[in-house]
Amino acid sequence: MKLTQTILKQAKAAVPALAAVPAEQLDRALLCVADELEARSAVILAANADDVARAEGHIAPTMIDRLRLTAARIADMAAGVRSVAALPSPLGRVLYETDRPNGLHIRKVSVSLGVVAIIYESRPNVTSDAAALALKSGNVAVLRAGKEAFASAYAIVEAIRAGLRTAGLPEDAVNLIEDTTRASAMELMKADGYIDLLIPRGGAGLIRSCVENATVPCIQTGTGICHVYVDAAADLDMALDIVNNAKTSRPSVCNAEEVLLVHRDAAAAFLPRLRARLIDDRLAAGKTPVELRCDERAFALIGGTPAGPDDFDTEFLDYILAVRVVDSVDEAVAHIRAHSTMHSEAIVTADPAAAGTFINGVDCAAVYVNASTRFTDGGEFGFGCEMGISTQKLHARGPLGLPELTTYKYIVTGNGQVR
Amino acid sequence: MKLTQTILKQAKAAVPALAAVPAEQLDRALLCVADELEARSAVILAANADDVARAEGHIAPTMIDRLRLTAARIADMAAGVRSVAALPSPLGRVLYETDRPNGLHIRKVSVSLGVVAIIYESRPNVTSDAAALALKSGNVAVLRAGKEAFASAYAIVEAIRAGLRTAGLPEDAVNLIEDTTRASAMELMKADGYIDLLIPRGGAGLIRSCVENATVPCIQTGTGICHVYVDAAADLDMALDIVNNAKTSRPSVCNAEEVLLVHRDAAAAFLPRLRARLIDDRLAAGKTPVELRCDERAFALIGGTPAGPDDFDTEFLDYILAVRVVDSVDEAVAHIRAHSTMHSEAIVTADPAAAGTFINGVDCAAVYVNASTRFTDGGEFGFGCEMGISTQKLHARGPLGLPELTTYKYIVTGNGQVR
């Protein structure tokens, strides 16, 4: 097993060579990587079968499903890498340019960060997604997969490195950490001077550990207490579809809805229909019903569970929805400002003034008008793949796109200016 | 004395109201602030005279000079505020816009951060500079001045708040922390939920304390081991002027030069002239000579002090310059990559190829071709005032401009899209 320190050194050493590669050659390399992923499909599937066999009985069936690859999933991974290659390069963009009175010419130009490290868990496709986004933005990738996915990740990284060699790029542009114990995650968090950006992708425990322990620059991802506000001027059919989708399409993810706010003028018409849709219809279809935790006014209309003091501050990640009736869009905004985790918030309304108040009033990464919060995702935003969703305000907010994987440099040219 | 916690609460409460103020009104408010600074010049000077009287004998004469205000300095402060008002607003810019195949329209729009806190020391003008840049970018400012400058800062903040009232803005948009003990600085570093960005402006001790203790988002400013590389193709007269300026115009600041690298083909002609300029000429003029700490090859040409092992990794902030002869621009780049603090680096050359290698090869906030490193400064870059110089890569690099005092929000509009 290679030491983590050795891998970090080889990654850092690859930075200058990778930074000198023109954008077109990076794109050609990504196409070679996609080809190698498909060419090595059988090898990757065999490694994945080993991972699955070792994991079965030890992790939950939903985790096994996340871990398992198929030929179709590998084709999807290759397609993801090709879609990243097709995006415009985030490098070399002139972000600001000025001529100063003293004759200095100043340009602010986007450049790669250097080494981007990603700690993730059991989904093998994160390996190629993260590597593709890092490469496209001129960064060396250091990948640290969960131990249950190691053999799959190893086979995928071997394919990626083969693609890089074919394209004439340094293969150390993509690196897999071989130590899958907790020690290596901690080593990455403390690797000052070796890692320019660390992205933790995983559960609350991993994120908290990064916030507490990381001394390298780190982007906080994750927690989403997402709200949908159904306005007095909402199309109630649309509102039903959006709340149903935001709550039930995949309750375990961070962009799922946790809290419903309903304008008092819509509540009497909307809430009974919502109850029918989320409970009665689902029971009739043999699906898990949604538990509605209602404030006093909502409870008076549809019953359910009386909401407790923590229900408006909990990321349930389950078939549970907190419901509150509000008097105005301003009250909805104030509630969200007090309880939001700054992830995704939605308003359903046909009133442009209410939409404007909501858009400007809530403080979050993504604010939706007449659409589900579930769209907060790199792929859905057109970023090619998903790298993580930032809930902080500095540097990156929402799905990490290619610009967020770059920094910039001021290039100042003169003819002897002194101050 | 108002408690720091009370001030943080009033600052946070002012965020929504300030965020709703249109850019034109922010600019009008800045002009009112500038007018009030001038109108209250006598009051501010009286407060400053008290500060100076209390400080005399307790702090170094250079610090007294930093602390002392004059009518002309107050006029400069007002002019700085007016120049910020004249800059384009960083708010509401569409940074990215796309129509997705499912009909969703996605816009990435710049918005204010919320509360920006600045911890600084004895220069009273930082009070109005920081407040102006924060206001222009729609942020509530929390200012924490050094205790020796408190009376001056208080008088300046009173003027600013008067200007805000005149313009119909909430006066709590600019707040001064009243506790000037270390406890309040620590309170700001730990004020999770109240501060969206903390900028420490001061000595190495303050910066280190922030890195170690801050749990709020913080931008590292400060350390500069800046290099000037004199290429084989340099105009030696220009190189002499640039090195002289970068080293001696103000040795105590972070954008001053600490290390000189000279190409071997230029060394024999350049170094004796440099020695004459930095030592003999300065002695003849009654100025402090520069101590040259030379590597072996430079020492063979001009003597001086033999460079010790730490001399290429020390921010001298003094009349000391480490000197090394290199064989090529590539060796200069490699030296800088190994020793840089990622602040400012310069090349002097008439060769565009060497300039290109240097620009792409060094990893720093500002890279100069044929100009002094001393220009790394918000005012010199056209940003109106100086807010601090970031030496990190995330979010902000180099002088903090108005865009770096904003974050962004994705605004997604649809007509009922679900996923």
Side-chain angles (χ1 to χ4, degrees), chain A residues 100 108 113 245 359 362 365 367 369-370 372 374 380 393 395 397 404 407-410 412 414 416 419, chain B residues 100 108 113 245 359 362 365 367 369-370 374 380 393 395 397 404 407-410 412 414 416 419:
Chain A
R100 299 296 300 158
K108 180 181 184 181
L113 280 163
N245 177 263
I359 287 171
V362 301
V367 54
V369 179
N370 296 329
S372 170
R374 290 277 289 108
E380 295 293 335
K393 287 190 189 182
H395 189 76
R397 212 173 187 196
E404 285 74 41
T407 180
Y408 55 81
K409 183 190 267 186
Y410 286 98
V412 186
R419 187 177 171 196
Chain B
R100 299 296 301 158
K108 179 181 183 181
L113 281 162
N245 178 262
I359 287 170
V362 300
V367 54
V369 179
N370 296 330
R374 290 277 289 109
E380 294 294 332
K393 287 189 188 182
H395 190 75
R397 211 175 189 196
E404 285 73 40
T407 181
Y408 54 81
K409 182 190 268 186
Y410 286 99
V412 185
R419 186 176 171 198

Side-chain angles (χ1 to χ4, degrees), chain B residues 133-319:
Chain B
L133 291 168
L135 281 172
K136 175 81 183 187
S137 44
N139 294 300
V140 173
V142 171
L143 305 166
R144 197 275 191 188
K147 69 172 187 303
E148 65 280 5
F150 180 77
S152 312
Y154 193 88
I156 293 166
V157 167
E158 285 298 294
I160 293 171
R161 289 169 69 105
L164 294 175
R165 285 194 300 272
T166 306
L169 259 65
E171 62 175 3
D172 287 347
V174 176
N175 308 277
L176 182 68
I177 296 295
E178 301 189 5
D179 172 9
T180 56
T181 68
R182 272 161 178 274
S184 72
M186 194 61 75
E187 238 177 305
L188 296 182
M189 293 179 205
K190 306 265 189 202
D192 297 293
Y194 289 94
I195 289 176
D196 295 291
L197 173 60
L198 173 65
I199 303 171
R201 286 186 62 172
L206 172 64
I207 311 296
R208 196 169 46 245
S209 174
C210 273
V211 170
E212 281 167 13
N213 297 305
T215 53
V216 301
C218 182
I219 284 184
Q220 214 170 318
T221 65
T223 317
I225 299 184
C226 302
H227 299 76
V228 176
Y229 164 60
V230 176
D231 187 46
D235 173 327
L236 297 191
D237 292 328
M238 185 193 289
L240 273 179
D241 287 344
I242 287 174
V243 172
N244 178 58
N245 178 262
K247 181 67 261 182
T248 68
S249 61
R250 208 167 156 202
S252 64
V253 292
C254 60
N255 58 20
E257 179 189 6
E258 304 292 9
V259 179
L260 169 69
L261 304 171
V262 187
H263 191 284
R264 62 178 178 196
D265 295 345
F270 183 69
L271 288 177
R273 290 182 64 191
L274 182 77
R275 191 193 152 90
R277 181 78 167 267
L278 296 187
I279 300 181
D280 308 335
D281 292 1
R282 290 183 63 83
L283 283 171
K287 294 178 181 165
T288 312
V290 176
E291 181 187 342
L292 300 173
R293 300 209 178 156
C294 295
D295 83 335
E296 221 165 279
R297 288 199 281 180
F299 187 84
L301 289 166
I302 54 165
T305 312
D310 295 335
D311 284 328
F312 293 96
D313 294 295
T314 301
E315 191 184 22
F316 300 114
L317 300 172
D318 201 350
Y319 291 98

Side-chain angles (χ1 to χ4, degrees), chain A residues 307-324:
Chain A
D310 294 336
D311 283 328
F312 293 94
D313 294 294
T314 302
E315 191 184 22
F316 300 114
L317 299 172
D318 202 349
Y319 291 98
I320 302 172
L321 182 67
V323 182
R324 178 180 167 190

Side-chain angles (χ1 to χ4, degrees), chain B residues 332-398:
Chain B
V333 166
H335 176 98
I336 292 171
R337 286 194 82 92
H339 300 273
S340 163
T341 55
M342 302 201 300
H343 194 296
S344 301
E345 319 291 0
I347 181 173
V348 185
T349 188
D351 174 9
T357 301
F358 190 84
I359 287 170
N360 294 322
V362 300
D363 185 16
C364 64
V367 54
Y368 291 84
V369 179
N370 296 330
S372 169
T373 54
R374 290 277 289 109
F375 288 104
T376 303
D377 170 90
E380 294 294 332
F381 273 32
F383 299 166
C385 295
E386 170 70 15
M387 185 63 124
I389 295 172
S390 165
T391 51
Q392 63 182 50
K393 287 189 188 182
L394 284 199
H395 190 75
R397 211 175 189 196

Side-chain angles (χ1 to χ4, degrees), chain A residues 376-399:
Chain A
T376 303
D377 169 89
E380 295 293 335
F381 272 33
F383 301 164
C385 295
E386 171 68 18
M387 184 63 124
I389 295 172
S390 165
T391 51
Q392 63 181 51
K393 287 190 189 182
L394 284 201
H395 189 76
R397 212 173 187 196

